[in-house]
């Protein structure tokens, strides 16, 4: 069993949990993910690793309640346990293997959207610990949904916050901030964008124009997470790749985002139905429009 | 009794079972088992034993069944097999033990598989456990993967007194027995879970949720965690796809995904938290046992199901019994048919599959006649779901993270057939990770050979 040693509600419907998982904490690197199950009947839910403490043997995860599974997960309390917690899965970020000196000469821009700030954080932190200051853009719909601002500030070179509604920081989408920074004369050798699929798509369209190589981290539907099921297949540069073993990070300019977004909706009806059912309990009378 | 004919085994009615997930075959009762056992003529030079990959003393246990001493029969089987209730159900006996049975020359062979199943089920119902080791050895062995190869290897080593830990990547032990083979062929609670309990009762520890190659490497297990030897039984690997247009459309699944959702995650049960596509018209592409399992699962979830296979019925790689059961249940076989494109609507959901008719030409490398396309014979099947069951390619997770472990040109781990020895000292391997996708019993045979190899290696140290 994997004990939750800390739980915080970062903002409405976004939770942070620090979980005991010694083997994962010992071996994980930035860019990798875990799969959790909250009880013996639960779904296998993939989540990116937000932070890790090798001494304490803990992993920090951040998740937003989107479906029935994550809603139940949000009800777990400190001291309670996950039934299953497996990882690290996927490949570490490419820069982890890069020569530190050549890495130091690069100007890196991270672009995080929404909960995407969570997987971006350990990457920026890893670089910070090696004396590399990367610029970070964090985008959020509105001020109240912004997460990990202070944590990010502590490890980023320059931190740019932008909100869609202008309620905090800059106003507009992350793509606007990228444009502004480039217009201000900033140059980047590489961009790492993590967030909703639609955000990554538009960041990639822009950075392709700007000639900035861009890495994205995909979060498609998965079952086992070890390469066995092929549910997470994505098309990259015309070839079929499995996000769980070949990724989750890919060359964003080569990813077929339209297909990836379409595939994400595969079980949406069922997921939405279950979420509504869970939320409404006994009062649920077909509000989802899909009940038989 | 007619000695030429076997005692027929009771089965759930085809119409009824096509709508439920309960076991198809109901098995023998004591009377039927004893009658069937009495058909064995106890050959001096028993061919059946030679046909068994784990060399069970078949005449020995059948003799005990004949006498009605089922406990004794169980202990005879347990000397050679850790999973008799599983093997009695899923072994291809027709090409192994029963294929060699002298009775089969004229009439039906003895139903060895059904007898094995009866003995194992009886032992389970009566709380009989396999006998453990007499003494403990002070050496630790790690087994990677808790499928048939791993469980067999671990069980045999534990019986020899070794301190064995199995590392399983999924949240549940059993490998293909839990994620691959459906409930209606192999009940999970009543059969698989109990056989795993028996392996644990021998002293084997199972640590789930450990992906070897990611969470820990083989080198770390040996250098830091004190394991003197390692057995790799990590299984088949990554599902193959055809590479035809439209294959990433919504509604196209690998058989592995479809079966894992249904079997491991229990998605066939409407109370399950994991969803599965309830297709109305489903095509399963492929002709192996996995294709039959996927097809029969889709049928039970309410679909009209077609098996689409590019060769003819004769070349179907699936067991005859599985094909027979599938047909009985109403699966439609579209043979000599090959998909060329999957069609989808504007939102990307499958609407059909364009196929081409095939005919058999000259024999190919496999000795089977090569299917060739019939010109201008394309047609469209209307469908909402396509399940690709084309086999697997090896998972590079372990081979790519273990120094000195050689793989062949198909990326399978190279291991000696006789003792499981790999190119790395102290590391043994067997099962699908070595051979590519094969059967439960062949994996068990490899696990058994490796257990012997590991014992010889550690005894000589």
């Amino acid at each position: 069993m994997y004990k939750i040693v800390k739980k915080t509600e970062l903002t409405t419907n976004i939770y942070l949990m620090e979980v005991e998982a010694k083997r994962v904490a010992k071996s994980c690197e930035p860019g990798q993910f875990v799969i959790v199950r909250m009880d013996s009947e639960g779904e296998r839910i993939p989540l990116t690793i937000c932070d890790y403490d090798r001494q304490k043997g803990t992993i920090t995860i951040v998740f937003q309640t989107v479906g029935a599974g994550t809603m139940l997960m949000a009800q777990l309390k400190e001291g309670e346990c996950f039934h299953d917690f497996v990882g690290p899965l996927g490949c570490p970020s490419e820069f982890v293997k890069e020569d530190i000196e050549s890495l130091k000469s690069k100007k890196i821009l991270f672009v995080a959207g929404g909960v995407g700030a969570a997987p971006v954080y350990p990457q920026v932190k890893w670089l910070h610990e090696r004396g590399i200051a990367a610029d970070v853009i964090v985008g959020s719909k509105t001020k109240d949904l912004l997460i990990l601002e202070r944590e990010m500030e502590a490890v980023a070179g320059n931190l740019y916050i932008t909100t869609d509604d202008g309620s905090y920081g800059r106003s507009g989408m992350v793509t606007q901030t990228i444009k502004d920074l480039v217009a201000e004369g900033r140059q980047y050798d590489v961009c790492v964008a993590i967030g909703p699929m639609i955000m990554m798509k538009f960041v990639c369209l822009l950075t392709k124009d700007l000639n900035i190589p861009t890495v994205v981290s995909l979060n498609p539907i998965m079952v086992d997470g070890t390469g066995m099921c092929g549910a997470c297949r994505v098309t990259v540069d015309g070839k079929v790749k499995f996000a769980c073993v070949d990724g989750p990070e890919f060359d964003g300019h080569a990813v077929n985002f339209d297909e990836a977004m379409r595939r994400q909706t595969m079980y949406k009806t069922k997921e939405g139905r279950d979420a509504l059912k869970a939320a409404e309990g006994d009062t649920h009378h077909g509000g989802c429009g899909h009940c038989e | 009794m007619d000695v030429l004919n076997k005692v027929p085994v009771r089965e759930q009615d085809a119409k009824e079972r096509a709508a439920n997930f309960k076991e198809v075959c109901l098995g023998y009762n004591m009377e039927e088992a004893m009658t069937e056992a009495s058909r064995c003529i106890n050959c001096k030079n028993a061919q059946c034993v030679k046909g068994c990959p784990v060399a069970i003393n078949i005449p020995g246990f059948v003799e005990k069944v004949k006498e009605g001493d089922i406990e004794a029969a169980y202990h005879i089987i347990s000397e050679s097999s850790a999973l008799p209730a599983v093997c009695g159900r899923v072994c291809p006996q027709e090409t192994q033990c029963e294929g060699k049975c002298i009775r089969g020359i004229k009439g039906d062979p003895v139903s060895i598989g059904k007898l094995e199943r009866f003995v194992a089920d009886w032992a389970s119902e009566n709380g009989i456990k396999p006998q453990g080791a007499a003494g403990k050895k002070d050496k630790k062995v790690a087994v990677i993967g808790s499928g048939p190869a791993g469980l067999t290897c671990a069980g045999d080593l534990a019986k020899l007194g070794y301190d064995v830990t199995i590392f399983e990547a999924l949240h549940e032990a059993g490998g293909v027995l839990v994620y691959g083979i459906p409930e209606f062929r192999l009940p999970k609670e009543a059969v698989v879970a109990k056989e795993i309990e028996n392996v644990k009762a021998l002293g084997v520890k199972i640590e789930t949720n450990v992906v070897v190659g990611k969470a820990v490497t083989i080198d770390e297990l040996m250098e830091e965690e004190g394991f003197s030897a390692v057995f790799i039984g990590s299984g088949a690997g990554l599902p193959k796809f055809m590479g035809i247009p439209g294959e990433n459309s919504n509604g196209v699944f690998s058989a592995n995904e479809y079966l894992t959702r249904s079997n491991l995650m229990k998605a066939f049960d409407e109370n399950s938290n994991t969803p599965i596509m309830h297709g109305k018209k489903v095509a399963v592409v492929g002709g192996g046992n996995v294709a039959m399992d996927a097809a029969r699962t889709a049928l039970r979830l309410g679909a009209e199901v077609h098996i689409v296979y590019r060769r003819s019925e004769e070349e179907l790689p699936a067991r005859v019994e599985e094909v027979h059961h599938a047909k009985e249940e109403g699966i439609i076989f579209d043979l000599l048919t090959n998909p060329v494109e999957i069609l989808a609507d504007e939102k990307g959901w499958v609407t059909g599959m364009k196929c081409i008719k095939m005919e058999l030409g000259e024999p190919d490398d496999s000795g089977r006649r090569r299917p060739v396309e019939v010109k201008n014979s394309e047609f469209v099947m209307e469908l909402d779901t396509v399940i690709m069951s084309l086999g697997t390619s090896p998972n590079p997770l372990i081979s790519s993270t273990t120094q000195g472990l050689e793989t062949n040109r198909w990326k399978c781990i190279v291991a000696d057939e006789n003792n499981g020895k790999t190119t790395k000292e102290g590391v043994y391997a067997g099962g699908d990770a070595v051979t590519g996708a094969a059967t439960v019993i062949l994996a068990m045979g490899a696990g058994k050979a490796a257990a012997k190899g590991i014992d010889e290696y550690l005894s000589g140290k």
Side-chain angles (χ1 to χ4, degrees):
Chain A
M1 296 295 243
Y2 307 84
K3 198 162 118 189
I4 299 164
V5 295
K6 186 177 143 194
K7 178 192 176 186
T8 328
E9 185 171 6
L10 294 177
T11 177
T12 317
N13 293 335
I14 301 180
Y15 297 85
L16 176 147
M17 285 179 181
E18 189 180 342
V19 184
E20 275 177 5
K22 289 197 176 63
R23 285 196 185 275
V24 190
K26 183 169 177 253
S27 53
C28 71
E29 299 283 2
Q32 293 185 295
F33 64 98
V34 293
I35 285 184
V36 307
R37 282 204 326 154
M38 53 172 297
D39 57 41
S40 62
E41 312 294 310
E43 250 190 294
R44 291 173 67 91
I45 302 174
L47 295 168
T48 35
I49 294 169
C50 174
D51 204 357
Y52 49 89
D53 188 326
R54 302 217 200 277
Q55 264 77 47
K56 273 166 77 185
T58 60
I59 295 286
T60 300
I61 51 172
V62 169
F63 63 92
Q64 186 164 24
T65 55
V66 284
T70 40
M71 265 159 77
L72 286 169
M73 221 162 83
Q75 287 165 23
L76 287 173
K77 298 181 193 74
E78 262 174 34
E80 291 186 319
C81 292
F82 277 95
H83 196 276
D84 300 287
F85 197 99
V86 60
L89 299 168
C91 301
S93 303
E94 211 148 285
F95 62 72
V96 171
K97 287 166 279 174
E98 248 183 87
D99 174 59
I100 277 295
E101 291 314 311
S102 88
L103 202 56
K104 276 182 178 162
S105 68
K106 279 186 184 166
K107 201 72 192 121
I108 308 173
L109 173 68
F110 284 89
V111 182
V115 199
V120 161
Y121 174 70
Q123 304 199 12
V124 181
K125 184 181 169 190
W126 190 95
L127 292 166
H128 171 77
E129 283 167 352
R130 284 153 186 84
I132 302 164
D135 284 358
V136 182
I137 301 172
V138 177
S140 169
K141 271 201 181 110
T142 180
K143 183 180 184 229
D144 291 344
L145 292 176
L146 185 67
I147 57 165
L148 302 171
E149 184 188 0
R150 262 184 306 134
E151 289 82 353
M152 204 69 92
E153 211 164 43
V155 293
N158 298 300
L159 175 65
Y160 309 95
I161 307 281
T162 178
T163 50
D164 295 0
D165 64 358
S167 55
Y168 189 65
R170 296 169 178 239
S171 178
M173 307 281 181
V174 289
T175 40
Q176 188 56 51
T177 306
I178 300 173
K179 279 183 207 157
D180 293 346
L181 293 179
V182 171
E184 282 165 26
R186 293 190 171 272
Q187 284 182 344
Y188 294 103
D189 299 304
V190 62
C191 168
V192 178
I194 308 179
M197 209 75 98
I198 188 84
M199 177 209 96
M200 293 191 282
K201 175 184 168 176
F202 282 103
V203 167
C204 287
L205 285 173
L206 175 65
T207 56
K208 198 166 187 184
D209 270 354
L210 297 171
N211 244 327
I212 308 171
T214 299
V215 174
V216 294
S217 178
L218 302 182
N219 53 341
I221 292 170
M222 265 178 208
V223 186
D224 63 291
T226 63
M228 201 179 77
C229 82
C232 66
R233 60 193 192 276
V234 290
T235 304
V236 182
D237 206 13
K239 292 186 196 78
V240 174
K241 300 275 177 192
F242 290 1
C244 68
V245 289
D246 300 319
E249 296 190 352
F250 293 104
D251 170 3
H253 294 162
V255 169
N256 182 339
F257 280 105
D258 293 337
E259 178 190 276
M261 280 190 277
R262 220 181 54 217
R263 288 184 58 80
Q264 258 190 338
T265 66
M266 195 111 69
Y267 294 99
K268 216 173 179 179
T269 336
K270 163 86 176 150
E271 173 98 321
R273 189 160 57 200
D274 288 350
L276 262 173
K277 224 171 167 178
E280 296 175 3
D282 292 341
T283 63
H284 180 73
H285 292 293
C288 57
H290 291 285
C291 290
E292 281 153 18
Chain B
M1 184 192 64
D2 181 356
V3 291
L4 293 184
N5 295 313
K6 63 185 175 194
V7 175
V9 71
R10 286 165 291 118
E11 286 178 351
Q12 227 200 118
D13 175 70
K15 273 214 184 68
E16 207 171 293
R17 73 180 192 240
N20 70 46
F21 278 84
K22 284 184 232 151
E23 198 173 8
V24 170
C25 177
L26 303 173
Y28 284 151
N29 59 29
M30 179 71 95
E31 194 192 336
E32 289 163 338
M34 286 172 71
T35 309
E36 181 63 17
S38 70
R39 294 181 60 233
C40 174
I41 49 177
N42 209 345
C43 306
K44 281 261 172 312
N45 182 14
Q47 295 300 308
C48 52
V49 181
K50 292 179 191 159
C52 175
V54 296
I56 293 173
N57 175 4
I58 294 167
F61 99 76
V62 174
E63 181 71 22
K64 290 295 168 192
V65 175
K66 203 187 291 180
E67 293 166 10
D69 187 353
I70 312 302
E71 186 170 348
Y74 178 72
H75 288 307
I76 291 173
I77 299 175
S78 295
E79 283 166 18
S80 313
S81 172
L83 310 168
V86 170
C87 290
R89 288 171 166 83
V90 303
C91 267
Q93 291 101 6
E94 63 278 8
T95 58
Q96 299 177 356
C97 54
E98 294 178 19
K100 305 240 171 181
C101 177
I102 301 301
R103 275 271 181 229
I105 296 172
K106 202 175 155 196
D108 292 333
V110 175
S111 286
I112 300 165
K114 301 289 185 281
L115 290 175
E116 181 186 25
R117 168 191 162 142
F118 169 75
V119 170
D121 288 358
W122 185 93
S124 162
E125 278 157 29
N126 290 280
I128 314 291
K129 297 263 169 207
Q131 282 154 349
K136 294 274 167 220
K137 287 194 172 76
D138 192 24
K139 275 183 184 136
K140 282 168 70 181
V141 181
V143 170
I144 302 164
S146 63
L151 287 171
T152 301
C153 186
D156 276 16
L157 288 168
K159 280 189 213 161
L160 292 168
Y162 290 99
D163 179 357
V164 185
T165 304
I166 300 181
F167 296 96
E168 167 57 47
L170 289 172
H171 57 258
E172 206 175 312
V176 74
L177 307 176
V178 296
Y179 77 74
I181 304 176
E183 184 74 18
F184 54 84
R185 279 218 292 139
L186 188 62
K188 306 298 160 234
E189 286 294 314
V191 177
V192 181
K194 289 217 172 117
E195 300 255 65
I196 292 169
E197 279 312 310
N198 284 346
V199 173
K200 280 193 190 163
L202 294 170
V204 173
K205 285 164 273 186
I206 302 182
E207 200 182 325
T208 52
N209 296 321
V210 183
V211 182
V212 174
K214 288 285 179 194
V216 63
T217 62
I218 287 182
D219 293 288
E220 285 166 350
L221 286 174
M222 298 180 87
E223 284 155 25
E224 295 169 22
E225 299 196 23
F227 289 98
S228 312
V230 176
F231 173 74
I232 306 167
S234 54
L238 283 54
K240 285 184 190 159
F241 289 91
M242 291 187 76
I244 57 174
E247 214 170 6
N248 283 356
S249 303
N250 289 7
V252 184
F253 307 96
S254 73
N256 267 9
E257 177 186 355
Y258 197 74
L259 290 170
T260 301
R261 283 180 184 276
S262 183
N263 302 333
L264 175 71
M265 306 309 293
K266 314 277 178 237
F268 69 83
D269 182 341
E270 59 178 40
N271 294 318
S272 167
N273 294 313
T274 301
I276 192 166
M277 191 73 76
H278 288 250
K280 288 194 175 61
K281 198 169 166 190
V282 177
V284 177
V285 182
N289 287 319
V290 175
M292 299 305 139
D293 285 346
R296 295 170 70 197
T297 297
L299 180 95
R300 282 161 171 76
L301 291 173
E304 174 190 316
V305 185
H306 295 246
I307 290 269
V308 175
Y309 180 59
R310 64 195 181 123
R311 301 179 196 248
S312 74
E313 175 149 4
E314 210 174 296
E315 290 85 18
L316 279 171
R319 287 181 69 193
V320 174
E321 181 177 310
E322 302 308 323
V323 176
H324 170 71
H325 278 152
K327 281 188 174 167
E328 266 188 348
E329 289 164 11
I331 306 277
I332 300 155
F333 283 73
D334 293 315
L335 303 167
L336 290 167
T337 303
N338 205 27
V340 289
E341 183 183 357
I342 290 163
L343 310 170
D345 64 17
E346 67 283 358
K347 285 185 175 157
W349 288 87
V350 171
T351 56
M353 184 162 76
K354 194 198 249 180
C355 298
I356 189 161
K357 289 278 179 199
M358 310 293 279
E359 59 190 6
L360 294 180
E362 295 300 308
D364 63 12
D365 295 346
S366 71
R368 298 179 297 180
R369 290 175 66 193
R370 184 197 301 274
V372 286
E373 293 182 352
V374 177
K375 278 205 175 92
N376 303 319
S377 66
E378 285 96 342
F379 68 101
V380 171
M381 294 174 78
E382 276 179 32
L383 300 165
D384 57 14
T385 306
V386 178
I387 300 170
M388 292 292 177
S389 181
L390 309 160
T392 55
S393 58
N395 195 327
L397 219 63
I398 287 174
S399 51
S400 67
T401 55
T402 310
Q403 295 201 359
L405 190 67
E406 209 173 281
T407 55
N408 63 20
R409 66 186 166 115
W410 298 281
K411 302 271 181 273
C412 291
I413 297 168
V414 174
D416 186 327
E417 224 181 295
N418 299 311
N419 55 21
K421 224 174 145 146
T422 67
T423 51
K424 187 178 172 75
E425 195 189 331
V427 179
Y428 294 72
D432 286 1
V434 170
T435 57
T439 60
V440 168
I441 188 69
L442 284 175
M444 289 177 63
K448 201 168 187 61
K452 211 167 141 257
I454 290 171
D455 181 44
E456 278 162 12
Y457 167 70
L458 293 179
S459 302
K461 255 186 130 177

